[in-house]
Amino acid sequence: MKNFFRKLFPLAITLALAVLSMAQSDKDAITLNQISGYRQWAKVNRQPVKADISVRINPADVVS
């Protein structure tokens, strides 16, 4: 059992260091700063545009 933990411990340390190094990057903060301005955008139309779509299906055209 000690041999198992002796092999697992370096792997766990390496994984923890890899996760910490990825968490320290500023790529996410840069992206969030770029898209944060979209929240202040105003709507162009006060009311949503209503589209009248009528679909007619001819039962003879339906293939079963």
Side-chain angles (χ1 to χ4, degrees):
M1 196 66 154
K2 286 185 180 183
N3 194 15
F4 176 72
F5 287 118
R6 223 177 264 159
K7 291 180 181 179
L8 187 63
F9 186 69
L11 180 63
I13 294 295
T14 305
L15 183 63
L17 289 174
V19 169
L20 283 174
S21 67
M22 288 190 303
Q24 303 246 343
S25 70
D26 284 339
K27 291 179 184 177
D28 292 335
I30 292 170
T31 304
L32 287 175
N33 285 335
Q34 288 176 349
I35 64 173
S36 66
Y38 294 122
R39 284 185 264 161
Q40 275 74 41
W41 283 14
K43 293 182 181 179
V44 177
N45 299 334
R46 292 182 186 253
Q47 297 294 327
V49 177
K50 295 179 183 176
D52 181 29
I53 300 173
S54 59
V55 178
R56 294 185 183 147
I57 299 174
N58 186 358
D61 294 338
V62 177
V63 179
S64 55

